[in-house]
Each structure stands twice: as structure tokens, then as C-alpha cells.
């Protein structure tokens, strides 16, 4: 080949195919592989047809005209090359069909006549050269577009590639077709042709029965595609046809819908909701039981009093407190209760009575029951808000009156001074709660000194108090009784309990601090699993104090080292690592999982949730 | 996303960490510093582990001196060791 010496026919065809692609895609810019660029330009300019657009057909014709009939490289499997060409040309032809046909047809018809003669002269395909194959394609290929409904269907002898069923769908799909077709299936074209013909015939026969005009071409083309093409291409056309063409009668039955019975539906809803609720609870309880084993273990030191108190408090009847202001103390008292039973926890006066109650279980139980009954006694208000806060079941006065009698009985039964102690304390507390700030100090003082000295002093006061209470219990009117009681109590208090030298300013600093330390001290006693002295507990608190100081210093250093003013979890991890708690064997997450409850674990350990989200975010 | 959807019933944590207390202590010691949200819990974890180690050591000391009760001396000796360890 004089013109194209450095490249094979195959490359030429491919380039032309690409050109045709570009043309089909509407791109005016024709991209041609570089080695062929010059030649292509020449060819195009030289033999520029009257058509404005150099179509693939025209280009192909030019190739055939100009190119040497002798193929330069025979060694290269002509079959593969032919296959490629054959594979590509139908695609090019497809593109061609998509573009304007008229001019091409005109020009083609003139040439086709001549070519036909050549083909007929050549007769059979003795030489499966690209050239000959191309000639056959050009001559025998149908002019009309596949898109057109009334297409001239001609049997194409040469193997064709499968046509995608959706021609209009996408040139992109067509373009995809090309690379798909690229991997050559090295089958003998001779073998292919008959096979395809068979299939073609079969399908065409089938098609004859159908009136699907626009699909008439598809089966044929599909038949041509057959073994050569990948199943991918086939699937385009086949799914549609078999369903529609082969089984027109087997249309899908419309889904039968049962008429929804609203009544049964609602019933089911209720059943399911009921079913869900108990299992939910049952789920909760087993879950709860698992941690409770550890929880009970864990909170043994300080849960006991709580456990003792909660039922007592629940049993106690929070009667409507006469003064709403007292209820404000309720949360405060609750807070002190929860912060930990401790004599030193003196958030507020009313808080004291709560603590006192917390310390004495059995006695308080009996007394607490009686308290709300005696609404007239103002001292109860200290206890009432507490009870209101804890257990807000409103019970009737009947029960209250019952409990009054119980209280009396219990009070009588309690002969021991100890039993009377809490009574005295609670009474004192009651009074304190009612009186206010002044009384708050006194009961504080009383509670402070309760251990050593207050008890004997208060003991004699209790019978008096009880007597007064019994007298006043039938009386519903609060004011006179409140007036009476406070007058009695402060005298007694001032007489017996020396006023506590307490600076109000330092209290908030000490108490909650002690409360927190107490929390950890109790944990210490739990972890130790052995009885401890009180001094040892104090020692532990001192150690904790020192420990917190060290901790803050270290965290400050770490944060400063990182150039931050906020202590972050990274600093903490570093601290744990330096302390030797986090090692290469034991990671931070392991420790978190071991020692913290689920809610905190969830906050610390990142976990993936639905919707591709991770919490906590990293 | 996850925790915000939990029901309030679930919020009853048995072993609640005294986060308020910890935050207050830290603020009192280092008023110029701040604590991040998660670091609160990790401080609590650190305290738990410290107390755990202290208790273990005290128990060992008590058992070493053939005592059935943990006494002040045991705790003191244990504290010396553990505080040294926790110095970081």
C-alpha cells in the first residue's frame, strides 16, 4: 500500500469507525488516530463527495478504492481482523443509519449497482480479506435505517454484530458496544455465517407470525449476533421480545388485592402493640438484671440505704403540701439524697431531714409514713417535698389516717433511744423545714452533733413531741399547729444543741466536694471487698484529693503540650497510657467497656449506625 | 443520631458518674482550662481505675498483715505506691 504503508487495514477501518462515531455523535471535529490522520485528511479532501458530511460509508468506499487489494499483513490472523472489521462495521453502519440517510442512499445506490456486479463476479468468499468483507457489507447491507419501522429487510450474509435493541437509546451504548466487541472471538467466519443464518431463519420464521413491525429487524439482527456477541448485547433485545412476542397471551395477572377489613386490622394493631409492649418490658428486665448483678455488687455500699429508703418513701404518702414554696425544697432535698447519704451534705435545711431519713432505715420508714398525715405540722414540710419528689402517688386521706395510727403504734413500739433518735431528728428536721433558714442551721447543728450528744438530749423531747403530735393530728388546721410547734422546738434546740460554727461561704466548697469524694470512697470500699475502718475511708478521701490535684496538673501539662486550652480525650488517653493502664495489649476502648456503663460506653466508643453514620463522630 | 433517639426511660443510669462534681473540681483547680464533653467520662474512668488499684493494693496489704479489716495504715501504704504510679 503506497499510501498506508505503516498501518494495517484494520487500523484504517477502526479509525474510520471512530470517525463515523464522531460523526454520528454530532461532533464536527473528527478525531483520527495520528498515523492515519494525514492519510485520512488526504482521502477526505481528495474524494470529497457531494455530501457535506464525510460519512463512514463514503470513507469506506474511499478506502476500498484507494487501498491496495493486497493485504500487507496476512500473518496477522485475518480472521480476527475480519472479525473486528465485521464487528465494527455493523456498528458504523448503525451510526450511519442514525445520521441522515438520503444523500447517502442516493450516492450509494449508484455505487451499489457497480459493486454488486463485482461481488457477483467474485462469487463466493474465497478470500476472507477485510477488503472483500467490507465490500460485501457495503453492497449488501440494507440501506434503510434500523430505526425506521418499514425497513427493507435483507439477509446479510456476512456476520454482523448484535444490534442493541434501543438504537435511539444512546450512542454511548453504541460506543460501549465497540469496546465490548473488541475482544475478538476468533471463530471462523465461515462457521459463523451458517450458524447465524440458521438462527436468523428460525427467528425470522417466528417473526413472520407476528405483526410487530418495528421489532422485525431486531430478531434478525439478534440472530446474526448470536454466538459471536456477548450475552450482554443479547439481553437488550431478548427480554423484550420473548415476553411480548412469544407469549402475547401470557400477560401478567393483575395482583389480586384482598379487601382490607378495617376492624381486624385495628385489632391486629392493638394485639401487636400489646405484644410489643410486654416483650419490650421483658427485654428491659433481662437487660436490667444483667447489669444489676454488677450494679448490686457495685452499689452495695451505698445502695442499701437507698434501697431501704425508696420503698419507704414510696410507701409514704406525699399529701398535698400546704405551701407550694416548700416544694421547691423538694428537688433540693432530692439532690442531697442522691448525692449520697452523708451527714455533712448540707445543701439546705430541708435537705438535712432527707439525709437523716436516709441514714435510719427502719425507724424512718415508720415515721415517714406518718409524716404526710400530719399535714398540720409544719415540720413535715421538710419531709413532704422529699416524699413528693420521690414518690408522687397521690393517696387518699384514708390511708393517711391509717398510717397516722401506724405511726403512733410504731412510735410507741420504739422503746429504744436509738429508735427515738431518728424521730427526734426527723421532728427536728420537720421543724427546721418549716421554719426556714434559722431553723435550718439548728437542725444542721443537731444533725452534726447527732452522733455523740444530741441523741440523749433529744430523746426526752420525743415523747413530748409525740404527745403534741397526737393531740394535733385530728386538727386539720395547719396554722395554729405550725405556730405552736416551731415555738416549742427552737427552744429545745437552742437549749441543747450548741450552734455550729459554720461559715456559709465555705459550705458549698466543702460539701459537694466531700460528696463527690464520698462517692469514690464508697467505690473503694466496694472494690476492696473487705470491711473498712472509718479512718481508712477518710484516708481514702485524702488520697483522692491528692490524686485529683495530680490529675489536673497532668492534664494541664498535656493540654499545654498540645497547644490547647481545652482538655480533650486525647490528653486523657495519654494520661492513661502514662499511668500504665493503657498498654499495647489493653486499649482504651477495652477499659471503657470494662468499667463504664452502656450509656457512657456509647458516648465514648464510636459505633456505626444506620444510614452510614458513625456516632460519636471522629 | 443514635443517642438522640433513645427513650427517656433508658436514661436511668445505675452507676452514674459524678460529672458535675468532676467538672467543678477541675474548674476549681484550673479555672483557665476547659474540659471537653467526652473527657469528662474519661476522667471518671481514670478515677475508677485509680480507686480500683488503690483498693487492690490496700486489700493486699491488709491480707499481708493478716487483718480482716482494712486499716488506715494499709491504705496509707497503698496510697504511696499507687499515687506514685498514677503520677503520669
Amino acid at each position: 500500500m503506497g499510501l498506508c504503508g505503516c498501518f494495517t487495514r484494520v487500523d484504517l477501518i477502526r479509525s474510520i469507525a471512530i470517525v463515523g462515531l464522531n460523526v454520528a455523535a454530532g461532533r464536527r471535529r473528527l478525531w483520527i488516530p495520528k498515523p492515519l490522520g494525514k492519510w485520512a485528511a488526504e482521502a477526505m479532501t481528495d474524494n470529497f463527495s457531494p455530501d457535506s458530511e464525510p460519512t463512514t460509508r463514503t470513507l469506506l468506499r474511499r478506502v476500498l478504492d484507494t487501498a491496495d487489494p493486497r493485504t500487507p499483513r496476512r500473518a496477522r490472523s485475518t480472521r480476527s481482523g475480519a472479525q473486528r472489521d465485521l464487528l465494527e462495521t455493523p456498528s458504523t453502519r448503525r451510526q450511519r443509519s442514525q445520521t441522515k440517510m438520503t444523500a447517502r442512499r442516493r450516492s450509494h445506490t449508484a455505487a451499489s449497482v457497480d459493486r454488486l456486479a463485482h461481488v457477483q463476479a467474485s462469487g463466493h468468499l474465497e478470500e476472507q480479506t477485510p477488503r472483500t468483507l467490507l465490500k460485501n457489507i457495503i453492497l449488501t447491507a440494507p440501506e434503510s435505517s434500523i430505526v425506521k419501522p418499514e425497513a427493507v429487510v435483507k439477509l446479510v450474509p456476512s456476520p454482523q454484530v448484535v444490534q442493541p435493541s434501543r438504537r435511539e437509546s444512546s450512542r454511548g451504548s453504541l460506543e460501549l458496544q465497540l469496546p465490548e466487541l473488541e475482544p475478538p472471538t476468533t471463530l471462523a467466519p465461515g462457521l459463523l455465517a451458517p450458524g447465524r443464518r440458521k438462527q436468523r431463519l428460525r427467528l425470522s420464521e417466528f417473526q413472520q407470525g407476528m405483526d410487530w413491525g418495528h421489532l422485525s429487524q431486531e430478531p434478525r439482527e439478534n440472530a446474526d449476533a448470536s454466538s459471536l456477541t456477548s450475552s450482554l448485547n443479547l439481553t437488550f433485545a431478548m427480554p423484550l421480545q420473548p415476553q411480548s412476542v412469544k407469549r402475547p397471551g401470557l400477560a401478567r395477572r393483575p395482583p389480586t388485592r384482598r379487601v382490607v377489613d378495617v376492624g381486624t386490622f385495628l385489632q391486629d394493631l392493638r394485639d401487636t402493640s400489646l405484644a410489643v409492649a410486654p416483650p419490650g418490658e421483658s427485654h428491659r428486665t433481662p437487660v436490667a438484671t444483667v447489669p444489676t448483678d454488677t450494679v448490686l455488687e457495685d452499689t452495695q455500699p451505698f445502695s442499701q440505704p437507698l434501697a431501704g429508703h425508696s420503698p419507704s418513701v414510696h410507701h409514704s404518702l406525699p399529701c398535698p403540701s400546704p405551701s407550694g414554696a416548700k416544694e421547691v425544697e423538694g428537688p433540693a432535698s432530692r439532690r442531697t439524697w442522691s448525692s449520697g447519704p452523708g451527714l455533712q451534705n448540707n445543701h439546705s435545711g430541708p435537705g438535712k431531714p432527707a439525709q437523716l431519713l436516709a441514714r435510719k432505715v427502719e425507724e424512718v420508714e415508720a415515721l415517714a409514713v406518718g409524716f404526710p398525715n400530719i399535714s398540720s405540722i409544719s415540720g413535715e414540710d421538710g419531709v413532704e417535698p422529699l416524699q413528693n419528689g420521690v414518690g408522687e402517688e397521690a393517696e387518699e386521706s384514708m390511708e393517711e389516717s391509717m398510717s397516722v395510727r401506724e405511726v403512733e403504734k410504731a412510735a410507741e413500739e420504739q422503746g429504744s433511744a436509738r429508735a427515738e433518735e431518728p424521730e427526734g431528728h426527723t421532728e427536728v428536721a420537720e421543724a427546721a423545714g418549716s421554719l426556714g433558714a434559722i431553723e435550718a442551721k439548728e437542725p444542721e447543728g443537731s444533725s452534726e452533733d447527732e452522733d455523740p450528744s444530741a441523741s440523749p438530749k433529744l430523746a426526752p423531747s420525743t415523747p413530748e413531741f409525740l404527745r403534741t403530735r397526737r393531740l394535733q393530728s385530728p386538727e386539720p388546721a395547719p396554722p395554729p399547729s405550725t405556730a405552736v410547734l416551731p415555738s416549742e422546738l427552737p427552744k429545745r434546740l437552742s437549749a441543747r444543741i450548741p450552734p455550729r460554727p459554720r461559715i456559709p461561704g465555705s459550705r458549698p466548697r466543702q460539701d459537694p466536694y466531700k460528696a463527690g469524694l464520698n462517692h469514690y470512697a464508697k467505690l473503694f470500699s466496694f472494690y476492696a471487698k473487705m470491711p473498712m475502718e472509718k479512718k481508712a475511708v477518710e484516708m481514702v478521701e485524702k488520697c483522692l484529693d491528692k490524686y485529683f490535684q495530680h490529675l489536673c496538673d497532668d492534664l494541664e501539662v498535656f493540654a499545654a503540650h498540645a497547644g490547647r486550652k481545652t482538655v480533650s480525650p486525647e490528653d486523657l488517653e495519654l494520661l492513661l497510657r502514662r499511668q500504665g493502664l493503657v498498654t499495647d495489649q489493653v486499649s482504651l476502648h477495652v477499659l471503657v467497656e470494662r468499667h463504664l456503663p452502656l450509656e457512657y460506653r456509647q458516648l465514648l466508643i464510636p459505633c456505626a449506625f444506620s444510614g452510614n453514620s458513625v456516632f460519636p463522630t471522629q | 443520631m443514635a443517642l438522640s433517639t433513645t427513650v427517656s426511660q433508658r436514661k436511668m443510669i445505675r452507676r452514674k458518674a459524678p460529672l458535675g462534681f468532676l467538672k467543678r473540681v477541675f474548674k476549681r483547680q484550673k479555672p483557665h482550662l476547659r474540659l471537653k464533653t467526652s473527657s469528662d467520662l474519661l476522667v471518671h474512668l481514670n478515677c475508677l481505675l485509680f480507686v480500683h488499684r488503690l483498693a487492690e493494693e490496700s486489700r493486699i496489704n491488709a491480707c499481708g498483715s493478716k487483718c480482716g479489716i482494712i486499716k488506715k495504715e494499709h491504705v496509707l501504704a497503698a496510697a504511696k505506691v499507687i499515687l506514685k504510679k498514677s503520677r503520669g
Side-chain angles (χ1 to χ4, degrees):
Chain A
M1 280 210 277
L3 287 164
C4 40
C6 56
F7 35 74
T8 61
R9 202 78 52 90
V10 180
D11 300 326
L12 278 174
I13 305 306
R14 207 173 289 139
S15 68
I16 288 156
I18 292 160
V19 168
L21 267 175
N22 293 343
V23 168
R27 285 178 239 150
R28 283 294 143 209
R29 172 182 61 86
L30 300 173
W31 178 85
I32 299 156
K34 277 190 181 171
L36 306 167
K38 195 178 169 189
W39 171 86
E42 273 183 17
M44 283 202 281
T45 49
D46 294 347
N47 315 338
F48 206 68
S49 62
D51 311 350
S52 55
E53 36 188 321
T55 62
T56 48
R57 181 172 277 275
T58 54
L59 290 172
L60 276 168
R61 231 176 293 120
R62 271 177 235 136
V63 167
L64 288 170
D65 293 340
T66 56
D68 203 350
R70 177 172 50 84
T71 52
R73 294 188 204 165
R74 264 296 177 89
R76 199 169 162 187
S77 67
T78 49
R79 291 175 190 173
S80 55
Q83 287 307 317
R84 241 176 269 132
D85 305 340
L86 296 165
L87 291 172
E88 285 165 4
T89 44
S91 64
T92 62
R93 203 173 330 109
R94 248 177 288 120
Q95 296 144 33
R96 191 190 356 107
S97 65
Q98 289 186 27
T99 59
K100 296 164 191 172
M101 303 290 301
T102 52
R104 229 181 295 126
R105 204 179 291 148
R106 267 184 258 121
S107 54
H108 176 69
T109 45
S112 61
V113 175
D114 310 330
R115 299 299 163 85
L116 218 64
H118 286 294
V119 166
Q120 282 158 7
S122 63
H124 53 284
L125 306 168
E126 61 206 358
E127 236 186 44
Q128 290 289 326
T129 61
R131 179 186 176 74
T132 56
L133 290 167
L134 273 171
K135 259 197 239 168
N136 294 332
I137 289 161
I138 291 165
L139 293 174
T140 61
E143 286 282 0
S144 61
S145 155
I146 315 165
V147 190
K148 284 192 182 176
E150 21 102 53
V152 178
V153 177
K154 282 189 198 170
L155 291 179
V156 182
S158 58
Q160 286 184 30
V161 188
V162 73
Q163 324 291 326
S165 58
R166 309 277 162 264
R167 301 147 223 104
E168 294 157 1
S169 62
S170 54
R171 285 167 191 136
S173 72
L174 287 175
E175 285 164 8
L176 280 173
Q177 291 280 327
L178 275 178
E180 279 169 16
L181 301 170
E182 288 276 311
T185 54
T186 61
L187 288 168
L191 286 169
L192 276 164
R196 260 180 245 111
R197 272 183 221 121
K198 277 186 211 163
Q199 284 199 5
R200 216 181 311 121
L201 283 169
R202 262 184 265 123
L203 275 172
S204 57
E205 282 169 20
F206 208 83
Q207 288 302 311
Q208 279 159 19
M210 317 311 298
D211 294 336
W212 299 79
H214 64 280
L215 289 174
S216 57
Q217 296 224 11
E218 280 184 276
R220 179 183 45 79
E221 284 141 14
N222 286 328
D224 303 335
S226 73
S227 51
L228 248 190
T229 63
S230 58
S231 57
L232 285 170
N233 301 328
L234 263 175
T235 50
F236 271 109
M238 287 313 290
L240 175 68
Q241 285 166 8
Q243 286 171 13
S244 52
V245 173
K246 287 178 187 171
R247 297 170 196 174
L250 293 177
R252 283 219 188 99
R253 269 180 261 154
T256 52
R257 293 176 209 274
R258 284 178 292 159
V259 178
V260 177
D261 188 7
V262 180
T264 52
F265 176 67
L266 291 169
Q267 187 68 39
D268 292 339
L269 271 180
R270 275 184 234 111
D271 295 339
T272 49
S273 63
L274 285 169
V276 164
E281 288 152 15
S282 64
H283 284 313
R284 242 175 278 131
T285 44
V287 170
T289 50
V290 170
T292 45
D293 300 330
T294 50
V295 163
L296 285 170
E297 249 191 325
D298 189 15
T299 59
Q300 227 173 29
F302 44 89
S303 71
Q304 252 181 15
L306 276 175
H309 293 309
S310 44
S312 74
V313 174
H314 282 295
H315 290 315
S316 71
L317 315 170
C319 72
S321 58
S323 58
K326 304 292 179 174
E327 290 177 5
V328 175
E329 302 157 350
S333 61
R334 225 185 314 150
R335 209 192 316 125
T336 57
W337 185 316
S338 62
S339 67
L343 283 177
Q344 295 89 356
N345 296 346
N346 300 324
H347 277 298
S348 56
K352 276 282 187 81
Q355 293 147 29
L356 295 173
L357 281 170
R359 303 196 96 234
K360 322 285 176 181
V361 182
E362 310 110 25
E363 297 89 358
V364 172
E365 201 170 343
L367 287 164
V369 174
F371 286 155
N373 314 326
I374 312 163
S375 57
S376 58
I377 297 175
S378 55
E380 281 177 321
D381 295 340
V383 181
E384 270 175 15
L386 174 82
Q387 289 150 3
N388 282 332
V390 178
E392 309 217 37
E393 304 98 6
E395 299 191 32
E396 286 141 5
S397 56
M398 280 269 296
E399 300 175 11
E400 290 173 10
S401 59
M402 286 289 295
S403 51
V404 172
R405 283 167 222 138
E406 288 167 20
V407 168
E408 291 174 0
K409 286 179 199 165
E412 286 159 4
E413 281 162 9
Q414 286 165 10
S416 65
R418 218 164 168 237
E420 286 166 351
E421 250 184 60
E423 286 181 45
H425 290 308
T426 46
E427 288 158 14
V428 168
E430 292 169 11
S434 64
L435 291 171
I438 302 161
E439 286 123 10
K441 285 187 191 166
E442 283 166 350
E444 284 172 26
S446 72
S447 68
E448 289 298 318
D449 304 343
E450 109 180 312
D451 281 342
S453 57
S455 46
K457 293 173 190 171
L458 286 169
S461 73
T462 54
E464 290 177 79
F465 205 71
L466 276 172
R467 262 179 267 131
T468 54
R469 207 196 292 165
R470 273 174 229 152
L471 285 168
Q472 283 153 21
S473 57
E475 287 176 11
S481 53
T482 50
V484 168
L485 275 175
S487 59
E488 292 174 349
L489 287 167
K491 289 178 206 164
R492 255 176 261 136
L493 287 167
S494 55
R496 288 188 189 100
I497 300 149
R500 183 70 182 261
R502 170 145 298 187
I503 308 156
S506 71
R507 201 202 318 163
R509 196 256 185 253
Q510 195 67 18
D511 304 336
Y513 186 71
K514 276 286 186 178
L517 289 184
N518 238 319
H519 182 254
Y520 287 111
K522 295 211 154 37
L523 276 172
F524 176 94
S525 66
F526 166 69
Y527 281 132
K529 293 187 180 63
M530 279 171 71
M532 287 174 63
E533 288 179 344
K534 289 235 167 79
K535 288 184 186 172
V537 178
E538 288 166 11
M539 189 69 216
V540 167
E541 287 172 12
K542 275 192 210 160
C543 298
L544 275 169
D545 196 13
K546 276 200 184 165
Y547 162 76
F548 278 128
Q549 286 173 16
H550 289 316
L551 178 81
C552 294
D553 293 332
D554 291 340
L555 290 177
E556 184 186 13
V557 167
F558 294 152
H561 177 75
R564 276 186 266 105
K565 287 202 178 163
T566 312
V567 176
S568 83
E570 296 159 359
D571 299 333
L572 262 296
E573 178 155 10
L574 179 63
L575 176 71
L576 284 166
R577 194 169 272 278
R578 289 197 61 140
Q579 287 182 348
L581 290 163
V582 170
T583 63
D584 296 331
Q585 273 72 44
V586 180
S587 86
L588 176 66
H589 288 188
V590 168
L591 289 175
V592 167
E593 213 161 316
R594 266 190 220 156
H595 292 96
L596 291 183
L598 175 71
E599 288 78 11
Y600 298 150
R601 285 205 300 268
Q602 279 178 347
L603 289 173
L604 285 171
I605 301 178
C607 185
F609 289 94
S610 75
N612 221 17
S613 66
V614 176
F615 181 85
T617 50
Q618 302 252 306
Chain B
M1 178 196 167
L3 281 191
S4 61
T5 57
T6 50
V7 191
S8 59
Q9 293 173 11
R10 194 81 172 87
K11 289 291 185 186
M12 194 196 76
I13 302 172
R14 296 292 183 100
R15 281 173 287 172
K16 249 201 163 93
L19 300 178
F21 163 72
L22 293 172
K23 185 112 199 244
R24 203 183 302 127
V25 165
F26 187 77
K27 261 291 167 188
R28 201 144 276 153
Q29 293 264 333
K30 309 280 171 192
H32 55 279
L33 288 180
R34 282 184 261 174
L35 259 187
K36 258 197 164 175
T37 320
S38 304
S39 47
D40 237 355
L41 293 169
L42 286 170
V43 168
H44 174 65
L45 175 69
N46 204 358
C47 297
L48 283 180
L49 291 166
F50 169 76
V51 162
H52 193 84
R53 282 205 286 192
L54 195 63
E56 281 294 320
E57 189 63 33
S58 319
R59 194 155 142 260
I60 291 167
N61 288 353
C63 291
S65 67
K66 301 265 175 117
C67 241
I69 309 173
I70 292 177
K71 292 206 179 126
K72 198 172 175 179
E73 310 85 64
H74 307 142
V75 175
L76 199 59
K80 275 191 187 159
V81 176
I82 302 294
L83 276 173
K84 194 95 198 268
K85 262 197 190 177
S86 313
R87 194 162 285 273

